[in-house]
Amino acid sequence: MPTLILVRHGRTAANADGVLAGRTRGVSLDDVGREQARATAQRLSVVPLAVVVSSPLMRTMQTAREIADAQKGDVPVRREPGIVECGYGRWTGKKIADLAREPLWATVQQQPSAVVFPGGEGLADVSARAIEAVRRIDRRVERRHGPRAVWAAASHGDVIKAVLADALGLHLDQFQRIVVSPGSVSVVTYGTHRPTVRHVNDLGSDLSHLVPEPEGDRPTGDAPVGGGA
């Protein structure tokens, strides 16, 4: 049961300007975003990562490379289409403030499972492909690196929220209750009985406790009675 570290890419100019970038090509981290990515990479440098996977878009690849470069060993970065940004269709490139006046906006907020973006993707489809991707990769990491392995995935806000909602046992219609900020870290372990969510939208805590346990202390995935220490 490896541990998955979900990292939202750092800020872009589109984020700062309130524009829905979606899958627009060439959207890179701005100065703040590069600093966020470096800071996240330094926080994760104490945790030996088996692999870093990334959405294929520029901003996530930049974030993933910062994370891999901060590791002590040679850690590969692999593109994973299953965690790419939602296809927002004709909403892509528009101001969030303008989109908030669209009739579909209320459904996005209240019943995201029913949303299919005009000319784009449905949020239920985003959720299904992202969950399939991270669980598939998690199984592969365990086969290749063992049950104590830790790996990271650089992705996007709505994608990470969908993965977290699934891990928390929430219906997709509740995923807007979760906040995932640029440069944030969220952590999930897919245990024997259930997923365990260890961090959500973490922007600064010490992550050294994610270092794999000694060989003799095989994790079971059981929740400790009373909450543990």
Side-chain angles (χ1 to χ4, degrees), residues 112-159:
S113 65
V115 170
V116 178
F117 292 100
E121 194 173 16
L123 283 172
D125 295 325
V126 174
S127 175
R129 63 158 164 88
I131 292 164
E132 185 281 329
V134 298
R135 287 179 178 254
R136 167 173 43 82
I137 297 166
D138 197 72
R139 292 191 298 269
R140 186 174 67 205
V141 168
E142 181 167 12
R143 287 195 303 271
R144 294 182 179 178
H145 302 281
R148 295 171 190 80
V150 184
W151 62 286
S155 189
H156 309 269
D158 281 349
V159 177

Side-chain angles (χ1 to χ4, degrees), residues 21-45:
R23 297 181 187 173
T24 304
R25 292 182 180 275
V27 176
S28 66
L29 303 179
D30 63 10
D31 289 342
V32 170
R34 283 188 286 272
E35 182 52 40
Q36 289 171 333
R38 283 192 291 267
T40 300
Q42 284 305 306
R43 291 172 64 206
L44 292 175
S45 66

Side-chain angles (χ1 to χ4, degrees), residues 40-229:
T40 300
Q42 284 305 306
R43 291 172 64 206
L44 292 175
S45 66
V46 299
V47 184
L49 300 176
V51 66
V52 179
V53 302
S54 175
S55 155
L57 297 178
M58 180 183 290
R59 57 194 184 272
T60 41
M61 288 297 296
Q62 289 173 320
T63 303
R65 288 185 181 119
E66 289 283 355
I67 293 168
D69 288 347
Q71 291 285 298
K72 293 179 174 62
D74 185 17
V75 177
V77 176
R78 307 200 187 284
R79 289 176 170 83
E80 173 50 58
I83 59 171
V84 73
E85 178 64 289
C86 176
Y88 293 110
R90 291 190 291 277
W91 278 31
T92 302
K94 294 186 177 181
K95 287 272 192 180
I96 299 292
D98 295 334
L99 293 172
R101 293 192 286 269
E102 295 281 344
L104 184 61
W105 183 264
T107 310
V108 172
Q109 301 303 313
Q110 298 169 13
Q111 195 184 3
S113 65
V115 170
V116 178
F117 292 100
E121 194 173 16
L123 283 172
D125 295 325
V126 174
S127 175
R129 63 158 164 88
I131 292 164
E132 185 281 329
V134 298
R135 287 179 178 254
R136 167 173 43 82
I137 297 166
D138 197 72
R139 292 191 298 269
R140 186 174 67 205
V141 168
E142 181 167 12
R143 287 195 303 271
R144 294 182 179 178
H145 302 281
R148 295 171 190 80
V150 184
W151 62 286
S155 189
H156 309 269
D158 281 349
V159 177
I160 294 173
K161 285 163 60 175
V163 172
L164 289 173
D166 170 71
L168 288 164
L170 298 176
H171 192 280
L172 184 61
D173 287 345
Q174 310 302 320
F175 99 137
Q176 299 294 23
R177 300 183 183 203
I178 302 169
V179 174
V180 175
S181 304
S184 67
V185 168
S186 299
V187 181
V188 177
T189 300
Y190 291 103
T192 305
H193 306 296
R194 72 192 69 80
T196 300
V197 179
R198 303 171 67 177
H199 291 261
V200 175
N201 198 41
D202 191 315
L203 291 166
S205 72
D206 179 6
L207 299 173
S208 60
H209 69 95
L210 297 176
V211 174
E213 298 173 347
E215 190 69 24
D217 298 330
R218 181 181 176 86
T220 66
D222 291 347
V225 175

